[in-house]
């Protein structure tokens, strides 16, 4: 069964850090790019970051650039999103998704073509 499972999430204070994991089963994660998306209450899901299949390229939207990092452990079939210096506006449900490239994050509207998603992990940034 092809699936992605996220772990991590919870409450974190502004300025703090949190790491989310995205573990794949049913396929090898190093054959795909993995995008991260988030959806805040009352807002549309938006792309946040993406790591290429090789791990050699990463992309971050401006709002998280310099604060979020991505890494992957192919042996564990897992991608990690490290969130540093978090802000209240980072509060959202975070999802990872399988992509052939990073188009789902980079190209407007391409998110609709992504078919394999994790269940989501809530990150709540509050003091």
């Amino acid at each position: 069964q092809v699936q992605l499972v996220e772990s991590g999430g919870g409450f974190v204070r502004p300025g703090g850090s949190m790491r989310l994991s995205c573990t794949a089963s049913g396929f090898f994660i190093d054959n795909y790019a993995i995008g991260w998306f988030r959806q805040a209450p009352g807002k549309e899901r938006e792309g946040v970051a993406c790591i290429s299949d090789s791990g050699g390229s990463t992309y971050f939207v401006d709002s998280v650039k310099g604060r979020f990092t991505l890494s992957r452990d192919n042996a564990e079939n897992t991608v990690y999103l490290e969130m540093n210096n978090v802000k209240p506006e980072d509060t959202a449900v975070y999802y990872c998704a399988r992509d052939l490239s990073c188009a789902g994050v980079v190209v407007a509207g391409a998110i609709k073509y992504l078919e394999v998603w994790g269940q989501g992990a809530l990150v709540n940034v509050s003091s």
Side-chain angles (χ1 to χ4, degrees), residues 25 36 45 51 55 60 65 68 72-73 89 95 109 125-126:
S25 60
W36 284 88
R45 193 171 299 187
I51 186 166
F60 300 91
K65 200 172 294 182
F68 289 13
R72 61 193 306 154
D73 184 337
E89 52 264 41
Y95 301 88
V125 183
S126 64

Side-chain angles (χ1 to χ4, degrees), residues 29-100:
I29 210 166
D30 54 352
N31 289 331
Y32 296 90
I34 298 294
W36 284 88
F37 303 78
R38 65 186 180 188
Q39 188 165 17
K43 295 188 176 181
E44 291 188 356
R45 193 171 299 187
E46 63 174 359
V48 175
C50 185
I51 186 166
S52 65
D53 53 357
S54 68
S57 297
T58 54
Y59 172 85
F60 300 91
V61 296
D62 287 345
S63 59
V64 307
K65 200 172 294 182
R67 300 188 297 120
F68 289 13
T69 62
L70 282 168
S71 62
R72 61 193 306 154
D73 184 337
N74 291 336
E76 296 294 326
N77 225 23
T78 298
V79 168
Y80 301 98
L81 177 68
E82 184 78 32
M83 307 166 60
N84 300 305
N85 189 25
V86 296
K87 304 176 180 180
E89 52 264 41
D90 294 323
T91 294
V93 178
Y94 284 73
Y95 301 88
C96 61
R98 190 178 79 173
D99 201 345
L100 295 178

